[in-house]
Amino acid sequence: MQRVAVQRDDQRDRNERNAQRRAGRLRRGLVCAAAVPAVALFAAACSSDSDDAAKETGGGSNPAAAPADSGSGTGTGAAASPTVQAAKYQKLPEPCAVLSKKTLTALVPKGAKSGKEGASDDVATRGSCSWSSLDNNGVKGSQFRWLNISFLRFESDTNRGSGEKQAEAYYASQVQEARSVTGAKNIKTQRVTATGDQASVVRYDLKKKEGAFRQQTVVARVANVVVTVDYNGAGLAGEKTPDADTLTKSAEKAAKEAVASVATANGSATSPSSPAATPSKPASKSPSASASASKSSAKKG
């Protein structure tokens, strides 16, 4: 009984509020009917009342004023086609030709001509090249250097987003991956300037059975392309361990040249002709997974 009483009270309150609104509209309607049509304020009040009445009755006096389908901007009911920003770069440079002879000679003195291109099922999407150098001084030991440069280009896709946004996410994951190497000591991360849109270098020491290695990983992003430079050095058989600062500067120089080569490879295609694009077809496999696998196998080598 108490519940029924509460419901009746609520219904009574609603009825009273509706009656008050109807009375107010009636008063304004009478004023509008007697007023001079030029008085805009009263005309607006009449219009407002008409709208309120339509809302209460669940309909409107003008069917043509009904809102168009929210899925379209034309009122035809057709769904709008989703678009994403077109990828800036459409191809990659030849990975083994991105560094000058001078830079290669400085980084891998005994291996400037040893570049080996990594396998790729789509050279427009991913590519890599590695060099190794062993300066053998006999009983005095040896200096070892290893360099790897990899490129990963992201195409815009309506499901995954713009190529640039995907590249930003992959850039962050690459930096984190470089910081998470098992056994790494003295890890340091710092920004690299004047290298693409964003760049960082991660450096650390790594003890292996062959000796103490010093690793530098520079990750750089330029628009929708991510460039990763891995460079390490070691003094073997009693030779002195190379200076970490020197190795870092060399890796950063290589990264700058590699980033610049992306724009050069695209020539006049550095800016898309259309502000929006839809992908022609989805990638056959995840480029991130492929690049990570390539990088891991290269480091083990």
Side-chain angles (χ1 to χ4, degrees), residues 91-156:
K91 55 184 178 180
L92 295 175
E94 294 183 17
C96 290
V98 298
L99 300 183
S100 66
K101 182 179 179 180
K102 180 179 180 181
T103 298
L104 279 174
T105 301
L107 271 67
V108 283
K110 299 295 182 179
K113 297 181 180 180
S114 67
K116 182 178 180 181
E117 187 169 348
S120 174
D121 58 356
D122 184 0
V123 294
T125 300
R126 60 179 62 83
S128 65
C129 190
S130 61
W131 297 260
S132 62
S133 172
L134 181 63
D135 187 4
N136 193 337
N137 296 314
V139 295
K140 295 182 179 180
S142 304
Q143 282 291 335
F144 175 77
R145 299 288 186 275
W146 180 79
L147 171 67
N148 184 81
I149 298 179
S150 65
F151 295 85
L152 191 63
R153 186 184 68 84
F154 292 86
E155 186 57 81
S156 293

Side-chain angles (χ1 to χ4, degrees), residues 25 48-59:
R25 286 195 295 272
S48 176
D49 291 339
S50 177
D51 291 342
D52 289 342
K55 290 179 181 177
E56 281 200 357
T57 59

